[in-house]
Amino acid sequence: MERRLPREYSGWQEHEPAFRRMTTPELVQEIQDGSPERRLAALSVIDLADVAPSTIEDWIRTLPDAEANELAGAIPAQRPHSACAEDVRWVGVARLGYEQRRLPTFLVMLFSSLEALDSRACAEAAGEWERIGDWLGDVYDRVVAAGEEDARGDISLFVFENYLGQPAIFEAFCGMMVRHEVLALEVSANPALYLLQVDEAHQRFALQEAAANGGIPFDQAWKTLQGG
């Protein structure tokens, strides 16, 4: 499905063939100084691995949303043959991007980068999952406090519904239910949406935590999960 973009990006795909023949410094220059449709085209073909971290951080802060979203999609998560240190770098970039912009593409690329660490059996994987679990709990607290309902929905859709099988994320999730009654109620009212990816012991634990913190009673939630 073709993306809906503001009018100023019209025709951006027409630049892609020529831009693919450009060097990284030339593409960087286009992103810094080009017109909107040229900037978007350059972001669609640039190899971020060749771009200075300080430049990427500046783009995260300053690019319009459509371009920042393209930047997030350019994060080379799960690139074949890349080193573990590179995947750790992209975890950090995607984390910074989501912190500053709240665009869900950064959230998706963050977890794709974590999956890449797992797929390569990187020694850093367990520590990165733990670090992101702690970070996610903090981000969720800030999102709720600020009333950012779109961001809260993105976290539910792109994280809770896919990664509760990761121990660090499950632990963070349970902590969020303790702190946020609305989440506890949502989980206990629709447990299949969240808990089918974990084993029975974890399902019971999560629903007990939900019931103790504002959710519906455990027996009722458990029956709902079992299809009763």
Side-chain angles (χ1 to χ4, degrees):
M1 182 181 295
E2 188 172 350
R3 292 175 297 167
R4 292 185 177 180
L5 294 167
R7 185 176 302 172
E8 60 265 30
Y9 297 105
S10 179
W12 68 273
Q13 298 102 323
E14 297 171 8
H15 298 291
E16 282 189 322
F19 280 19
R20 290 187 187 280
R21 297 190 291 271
M22 286 185 174
T23 66
T24 297
E26 289 172 332
L27 291 169
V28 168
Q29 193 65 41
E30 286 287 351
I31 296 165
Q32 303 283 53
D33 300 323
S35 57
E37 82 283 359
R38 291 178 70 88
R39 294 197 305 264
L40 193 69
L43 284 162
S44 75
V45 301
I46 197 167
D47 186 348
L48 290 184
D50 296 332
V51 179
S54 59
T55 299
I56 296 175
E57 291 170 13
D58 181 63
W59 290 345
I60 287 171
R61 290 191 299 270
T62 61
L63 290 175
D65 278 358
E67 296 166 43
N69 201 56
E70 193 70 37
L71 172 67
I75 292 173
Q78 303 198 38
R79 172 179 286 178
H81 313 302
S82 74
C84 293
E86 278 294 292
D87 291 322
V88 171
R89 176 193 177 191
W90 302 123
V91 168
V93 169
R95 169 181 168 171
L96 176 65
Y98 188 73
E99 284 175 346
Q100 297 206 4
R101 302 303 294 265
R102 293 290 193 268
L103 294 172
T105 312
F106 282 111
L107 201 60
V108 171
M109 300 312 291
L110 166 59
F111 281 86
S112 291
S113 299
L114 288 168
E115 288 181 313
L117 289 170
D118 279 343
S119 69
R120 288 187 239 284
C122 295
E124 300 93 334
E128 289 298 308
W129 279 105
E130 288 286 343
R131 187 168 68 92
I132 293 304
D134 292 342
W135 168 82
L136 186 67
D138 179 61
V139 166
Y140 193 84
D141 291 349
R142 286 187 274 132
V143 161
V144 171
E148 298 177 48
E149 284 302 307
D150 285 348
R152 197 173 77 85
D154 289 339
I155 292 171
S156 178
L157 178 63
F158 295 111
V159 183
F160 296 159
E161 294 182 27
N162 294 289
Y163 294 102
L164 292 188
Q166 286 287 340
I169 304 304
F170 181 80
E171 181 179 353
F173 172 75
C174 290
M176 292 175 219
M177 285 196 293
V178 171
R179 299 190 298 275
H180 301 289
E181 182 176 329
V182 170
L183 179 60
L185 184 58
E186 288 173 352
V187 172
S188 57
N190 193 5
L193 184 63
Y194 300 93
L195 300 177
L196 290 182
Q197 59 192 295
V198 299
D199 62 26
E200 182 176 322
H202 286 84
Q203 290 173 342
R204 288 181 175 277
F205 181 81
L207 292 180
Q208 287 165 351
E209 289 290 279
N213 291 283
I216 65 177
F218 170 81
D219 289 344
Q220 183 180 344
W222 183 254
K223 184 178 180 180
T224 299
L225 180 60
Q226 301 306 305

